Amino acid sequence: MSIIDEVDAKFKEYNNLSEQEGTLEARKGLMADLKIALTQFETLPPSTHQPDPKECIIARGIYEFAVFQSIEEGDIEGFKRNYSTLNFYYNELRYFLVVISRDILPESSKKNSVIGLYLLYLLSQNLISEFHVELQSIPSADHNNIYINVPVSLEQYFVDGNYAKVLATKHAPLDVYNFFIKKFIDTVRTEIARSVEVSYKKLSIKDACEVFMLDDIDQLKEFVERESDINNSDRTISWVIKDDYLHFDTITIEKEGIPAKKMIYQVLDYAREL
Amino acid sequence: MDKKKETKDKDVTMGDKKEEEVKEEKFDPYLEIRKQLILLDKAVEEKDTKACGVVARNFKRIRAEFSLKDVGLIFDHYLPELSAKINLPKYDPDIVKFDIEEKLHLNKERAAILVDTFEAKCFLYILLIMKLIDERKIKMAKEFVDFARAQIDLENSRTLDHFFSKIYYYSGFIYEKLGELNDFVPHFLEAYRAACHRNDEQTQATLINYILRSYINDHLYTQAANFIEICTLPENVSPNQQARNLYYEAKIQAVQMKYPEAQAHVIQAIRKASEFTGKAFRVQAMKLRIIVTLLMGEIPDRNLFSDQEMKSDLYPYFIIVQRVREGNIEEFMKVVNEHEEIFKRNDNYNLLIRLRHNVIKFGLRKINASYSRISLSDITTKLGLDSVKETESIVTKAIRDKVINAVINREEKELKTNEVADVYTSNVPTAQLDKRIRFCMEIYNDSVKALEFPKKEQEKIDFNLDDDDEIQDEQELVESLLEEFEDM
């Protein structure tokens, strides 16, 4: 039995397991074995050989599952690692294939769901620039694909400041998406906090709960406490709960004077340049 | 009988022509080829890379004068062996009645000596590739360019740099025409490595730009960004290559949301680009410039759109600018959808979608300037948003981003503008002034760097064609060379 068949058989076993619930532990071990087995494939990177489509398809399939599994485990670092390996098969591999074998390597059916997941990850980490770079690499025909569309519209609402709509997007196309959507909502909440504190002088407790998307006053108190704990030197606003209202008090700072030293440097700099 | 007479007649006319030439030198492309080859031969002998560059730059003039069949004739004469192998379209032998040696001003033996250097061969190869492209024989051009590349990989000399870069340039051009540019990237990367080893700056520049181009066409911005980070364009390359490189860099930065950098680079690219040719490039760069300016929250100058040549191409973008100014999101999306095809073809659609947010900003800024107090529901209708709740959170975001300076009163559901502090009491104007002074100084320094002075000892034999006098000098030189050969 060649090494490819061996890995393929193991992969099928994993596939069966993944359809049953509560098999995470078993799959963890199996995935580790599979990845080790992959190192015996001769034409995969970092090898300089012409890649063999058969090996590529199996490797790609394994890493796709690895991506989803790392979410189940809640392992974000692992997710990042698996994704970047997988990205090679999605985007770069074709540079290494001769033209003829390109037809033998069809696009993966899971591609969009994996990329959508990655987009959500970038959003949840507030990495908007990377998000857009990634988005560019998706053909515009796929933009309406549900897996891609969800993160894309989330980002738009987020940048606009349309937080109400962010919350309305609760039904994710895949269960694993919820992992990042939950994280994303936390990100959104801190963003709201930054916006609200400069926009209002005070908010009633009831309104504040609504604005921060919290259920009751206890959660709000906890949140306010957490916010007040963040000791950032350039924070100029303090949060105080008083008489059923949440007050945002501005800490007045001294007015900036004329930066004499900087001016001197600038003018001397011009003189030297000329 | 007739034939004889004809040649005789021809001799007479030729003779007449010669007399005329003395008076008002007529441009004879065949003679020009010979001149160039002689110049090239001399340049190679003296290892004068600059002169080689001048010869390589003279292609444009020659290209316009020949047809593919003419080039076939030249190949027959200069490179008979090669010409026999490739099947070029030729003049019907019955029609060709002129004496080939006379027409080309050169006999076979001398021709063989002239093309002895590899540089001269490259010169002719490139001429052929150009004409194959001009006459849309792309398949054939591809075969020939592959052949030419296989040849040049074996050679190495600084005098070849300009020709190598041309051959690679046309390789890329042909592959792109065939839609196979991305297949070719691994070869380009390999060739780039080789060019770096040889310190061949011209070829490096050509290759860097093609690799970037391929990545950008395939939307592989991560790879493109990584590539541009480690590869800097050599300094002494043509402004066209520099302009291209700047444009690609701007494009990558725009995608990465580094708008100020992108704007600086795209403006530089437009400035470096040729004013007379390459309209498509200028239009494309201008579009990017407009979008990036909008994304930075500024309105592009109106006179950008008044350029007669580009007016019609820029029209959809002009409409976009107007809609952004108005600040109504519904109207804006309508225009985007209307011209969706054009924007997608220009590969600007994704960037334009990002403008959504800026449309809201502009709208809010306008409202903020005109009303000191306004209810949130009025803002909702003015901006074309869905609900008051949405508007409220969007407004808070805008306040935080310092788009507007205002406070929301939650009980009254209204937006109240804060009093505007006088900008001249702050340090903002100083910073602006500093920015502008630095910009001027940069232009000054760049122009000083761009100036070129001839070397003293080279003044006698200067191949620089920028000046009329110098052209004269060059022609005198060629003339004297010709005399020498005739004496031999």
Side-chain angles (χ1 to χ4, degrees):
Chain A
M1 204 153 112
S2 78
I3 183 79
I4 294 192
D5 297 328
E6 233 172 82
V7 175
D8 202 26
K10 243 189 201 162
F11 185 38
K12 286 212 175 82
E13 192 186 326
Y14 180 92
N15 234 329
N16 290 335
L17 268 180
S18 70
E19 280 162 19
Q20 300 155 28
E21 277 180 33
T23 53
L24 183 59
E25 283 308 314
R27 276 183 288 145
K28 263 189 197 168
L30 204 50
M31 180 54 77
D33 287 350
L34 278 171
K35 281 188 183 166
I36 292 167
L38 275 186
T39 58
Q40 295 174 56
F41 280 12
E42 269 170 13
T43 70
L44 296 183
S47 147
T48 49
H49 290 105
Q50 174 70 25
D52 174 29
K54 231 161 136 193
E55 291 186 358
C56 288
I57 289 176
I58 294 178
R60 190 175 70 185
I62 289 173
Y63 276 107
E64 276 168 348
F65 274 103
V67 164
F68 289 121
Q69 188 184 307
S70 53
I71 297 300
E72 267 182 81
E73 291 169 33
D75 174 11
I76 295 186
E77 283 303 311
F79 169 76
K80 253 163 62 185
R81 261 197 318 274
N82 287 324
Y83 179 80
S84 62
T85 316
L86 191 54
N87 197 32
F88 169 82
Y89 294 97
Y90 285 158
N91 283 327
E92 280 163 73
L93 184 64
R94 59 201 168 113
Y95 283 111
F96 296 88
L97 288 175
V98 280
V99 188
I100 322 146
S101 53
R102 195 168 291 169
D103 304 328
I104 314 172
L105 192 73
E107 291 265 343
S108 160
S109 57
K110 285 205 178 69
K111 186 177 171 183
N112 279 332
S113 57
V114 173
I115 293 182
L117 189 62
Y118 185 64
L119 287 176
L120 269 182
Y121 155 74
L122 293 175
L123 269 187
S124 69
Q125 307 290 313
N126 210 353
L127 297 167
I128 303 294
S129 160
E130 283 83 351
F131 176 89
H132 279 287
V133 171
E134 192 67 29
L135 191 61
Q136 282 282 347
S137 66
I138 302 168
S140 56
D142 286 347
H143 277 219
N144 291 327
N145 181 296
I146 174 120
Y147 298 118
I148 307 294
N149 190 269
V150 167
V152 169
S153 28
L154 277 178
E155 190 267 349
Q156 252 175 27
Y157 301 146
F158 179 61
V159 173
D160 287 354
N162 199 338
Y163 302 124
K165 278 221 171 129
V166 170
L167 275 193
T169 323
K170 267 193 173 138
H171 15 262
L174 276 178
D175 279 350
V176 279
Y177 277 39
N178 287 326
F179 178 77
F180 284 126
I181 289 187
K182 241 176 90 193
K183 281 208 169 347
F184 178 53
I185 288 176
D186 281 342
T187 312
V188 168
R189 195 167 290 137
T190 40
E191 285 294 304
I192 294 179
R194 294 288 81 70
S195 303
V196 164
E197 63 185 13
V198 290
S199 305
Y200 300 95
K201 290 224 167 73
K202 58 179 184 176
L203 273 177
S204 73
I205 298 288
K206 199 174 123 270
D207 287 344
C209 288
E210 191 189 322
V211 168
F212 291 121
M213 308 183 282
L214 297 168
D215 298 334
D216 52 40
I217 183 159
D218 293 331
Q219 278 189 15
L220 180 71
K221 273 184 180 150
E222 197 187 313
F223 183 65
V224 170
E225 218 157 274
R226 201 153 19 112
E227 278 300 318
S228 318
D229 279 351
I230 304 170
N231 253 332
N232 203 331
S233 55
D234 32 76
R235 279 202 61 180
T236 55
I237 291 162
S238 70
W239 295 29
V240 187
I241 297 182
K242 205 165 70 187
D243 319 329
D244 282 347
Y245 277 99
L246 175 60
H247 291 264
F248 304 104
D249 295 336
T250 317
I251 305 162
T252 43
I253 42 164
E254 279 175 51
K255 214 179 163 202
E256 48 185 334
I258 295 169
K261 227 174 184 173
K262 200 176 148 210
M263 290 288 288
I264 294 170
Y265 280 129
Q266 268 179 11
V267 174
L268 284 178
D269 207 30
Y270 303 152
R272 204 189 56 211
E273 280 284 325
L274 294 172
Chain B
M1 219 359 219
D2 269 344
K3 215 175 178 180
K4 238 180 191 175
K5 202 184 164 200
E6 231 180 68
T7 42
K8 215 179 170 190
D9 277 349
K10 208 167 195 172
D11 271 350
V12 175
T13 47
M14 288 284 284
D16 286 345
K17 247 190 197 160
K18 255 179 196 161
E19 273 173 30
E20 272 170 31
E21 266 173 27
V22 181
K23 283 172 204 155
E24 47 164 89
E25 289 194 32
K26 204 175 170 298
F27 186 74
D28 179 347
Y30 293 102
L31 187 62
E32 181 67 25
I33 289 257
R34 187 179 161 201
K35 269 190 208 168
Q36 297 292 343
L37 285 174
I38 292 168
L39 278 177
L40 189 56
D41 198 41
K42 194 165 168 51
V44 172
E45 205 175 297
E46 291 177 358
K47 295 202 164 44
D48 186 346
T49 49
K50 214 171 162 194
C52 284
V54 173
V55 172
R57 238 173 284 160
N58 284 347
F59 272 120
K60 214 174 137 190
R61 215 156 32 132
I62 301 170
R63 184 178 187 172
E65 295 292 332
F66 285 113
S67 74
L68 183 54
K69 285 177 179 171
D70 292 331
V71 178
L73 203 65
I74 293 168
F75 260 69
D76 269 348
H77 197 59
Y78 284 99
L79 299 166
E81 280 175 38
L82 182 62
S83 181
K85 277 187 217 153
I86 46 174
N87 199 5
L88 287 176
K90 298 227 172 76
Y91 282 117
D92 199 330
D94 293 336
I95 303 171
V96 186
K97 294 207 175 83
F98 43 77
D99 180 27
I100 188 161
E101 288 192 359
E102 195 163 329
K103 186 162 168 101
L104 268 63
H105 309 277
L106 200 61
N107 60 34
K108 271 227 145 71
E109 294 73 45
R110 181 64 202 148
I113 298 168
L114 267 189
V115 294
D116 194 39
T117 59
F118 192 69
E119 284 79 357
K121 285 195 187 100
C122 281
F123 179 85
L124 293 172
Y125 291 167
I126 293 165
L127 191 62
L128 177 63
I129 296 167
M130 280 175 165
K131 288 326 288 183
L132 285 169
I133 291 171
D134 283 350
E135 309 212 351
R136 302 194 188 285
K137 299 197 184 314
I138 301 292
K139 274 264 152 60
M140 203 163 163
K142 178 181 180 263
E143 278 166 30
F144 189 72
V145 92
D146 285 343
F147 159 79
R149 266 204 332 277
Q151 298 265 301
I152 63 175
D153 282 348
L154 308 170
E155 299 286 332
N156 180 16
S157 158
R158 288 300 53 74
T159 45
L160 279 166
D161 290 356
H162 288 276
F163 300 103
F164 279 14
S165 88
K166 283 241 178 237
I167 288 178
Y168 273 106
Y169 175 78
Y170 288 110
S171 304
F173 183 85
I174 292 163
Y175 278 93
E176 191 166 355
K177 279 259 159 178
L178 293 169
E180 291 168 9
L181 188 57
N182 47 18
D183 294 338
F184 203 59
V185 166
H187 296 287
F188 272 162
L189 286 168
E190 226 165 81
Y192 175 69
R193 263 196 300 276
C196 287
H197 284 310
R198 292 198 307 256
N199 204 11
D200 173 354
E201 296 190 339
Q202 309 301 327
T203 313
Q204 279 175 38
T206 310
L207 289 170
I208 288 178
N209 282 339
Y210 265 120
I211 294 166
L212 285 176
R213 186 181 175 83
S214 167
Y215 281 147
I216 289 175
N217 282 351
D218 288 352
H219 301 291
L220 296 174
Y221 284 91
T222 323
Q223 280 89 332
N226 289 342
F227 185 71
I228 207 163
E229 203 171 292
I230 50 169
C231 299
T232 39
L233 199 73
E235 266 179 33
N236 299 319
V237 294
S238 81
N240 289 343
Q241 297 289 7
Q242 288 178 23
R244 235 170 257 146
N245 194 266
L246 285 166
Y247 170 75
Y248 294 141
E249 193 165 359
K251 179 100 199 184
I252 294 166
Q253 282 164 337
V255 169
Q256 290 177 319
M257 303 180 97
K258 295 178 183 161
Y259 302 131
E261 291 93 337
Q263 193 190 32
H265 283 124
V266 75
I267 290 176
Q268 252 182 310
I270 292 171
R271 211 172 284 141
K272 287 242 167 145
S274 152
E275 272 177 59
F276 311 105
T277 52
K279 182 191 162 202
F281 176 80
R282 266 175 299 138
V283 171
Q284 192 68 9
M286 196 56 99
K287 287 171 183 170
L288 184 65
R289 178 180 175 176
I290 291 165
I291 297 178
V292 171
T293 312
L294 283 174
L295 281 168
M296 282 178 62
E298 295 163 15
I299 294 288
D301 263 353
R302 209 185 163 84
N303 59 20
L304 289 184
F305 298 96
S306 54
D307 187 322
Q308 282 304 326
E309 202 189 10
M310 295 196 244
K311 215 170 178 177
S312 60
D313 292 299
L314 294 180
Y315 181 72
Y317 293 84
F318 179 64
I319 301 290
I320 287 283
V321 173
Q322 280 188 327
R323 292 292 170 271
V324 173
R325 276 174 74 107
E326 281 164 20
N328 187 315
I329 195 87
E330 269 175 278
E331 291 288 320
F332 170 76
M333 286 315 284
K334 221 163 83 190
V335 178
V336 171
N337 291 334
E338 213 171 285
H339 299 284
E340 192 178 334
E341 276 311 303
I342 299 177
F343 296 142
K344 277 194 175 153
R345 203 167 45 222
N346 293 342
D347 194 22
N348 283 331
Y349 185 74
N350 283 343
L351 289 178
L352 276 169
I353 290 294
R354 286 190 211 168
L355 275 177
R356 247 183 68 95
H357 175 55
N358 290 63
V359 178
I360 296 176
K361 273 190 188 172
F362 271 101
L364 271 176
R365 210 179 277 165
K366 242 172 70 177
I367 292 172
N368 190 228
S370 3
Y371 299 87
S372 61
R373 248 179 66 186
I374 183 168
S375 78
L376 289 172
S377 60
D378 283 346
I379 299 179
T380 314
T381 36
K382 272 181 196 294
L383 295 183
L385 296 167
D386 290 346
S387 71
V388 175
K389 207 173 162 195
E390 265 174 45
T391 314
E392 192 177 346
S393 66
I394 289 173
V395 171
T396 57
K397 176 96 194 296
I399 294 175
R400 179 207 169 185
D401 291 345
K402 299 202 164 69
V403 177
I404 53 173
N405 185 5
V407 177
I408 302 173
N409 187 330
R410 177 91 190 184
E411 265 90 47
E412 308 282 326
K413 292 262 175 215
E414 62 178 19
L415 183 72
K416 192 164 170 269
T417 308
N418 286 348
E419 288 199 15
V420 194
D422 183 8
V423 74
Y424 285 98
T425 60
S426 71
N427 290 319
V428 180
T430 326
Q432 264 301 329
L433 182 70
D434 181 54
K435 202 173 136 197
R436 284 176 201 181
I437 290 179
R438 281 190 196 284
F439 180 75
C440 292
M441 290 199 291
E442 204 171 296
I443 289 191
Y444 175 78
N445 285 338
D446 281 352
S447 4
V448 170
K449 269 187 218 155
L451 290 175
E452 225 174 86
F453 302 100
K455 277 184 195 156
K456 277 241 160 70
E457 64 268 27
Q458 272 192 341
E459 260 166 31
K460 266 188 198 162
I461 318 165
D462 200 335
F463 296 95
N464 206 332
L465 290 177
D466 292 337
D467 213 306
D468 277 352
D469 287 349
E470 279 164 1
I471 292 176
Q472 202 96 43
D473 279 349
E474 181 220 39
Q475 269 163 356
E476 273 168 26
L477 167 81
V478 174
E479 236 76 313
S480 67
L481 285 172
L482 292 183
E483 274 166 30
E484 265 175 49
F485 292 136
E486 260 137 31
D487 291 342
M488 270 160 68

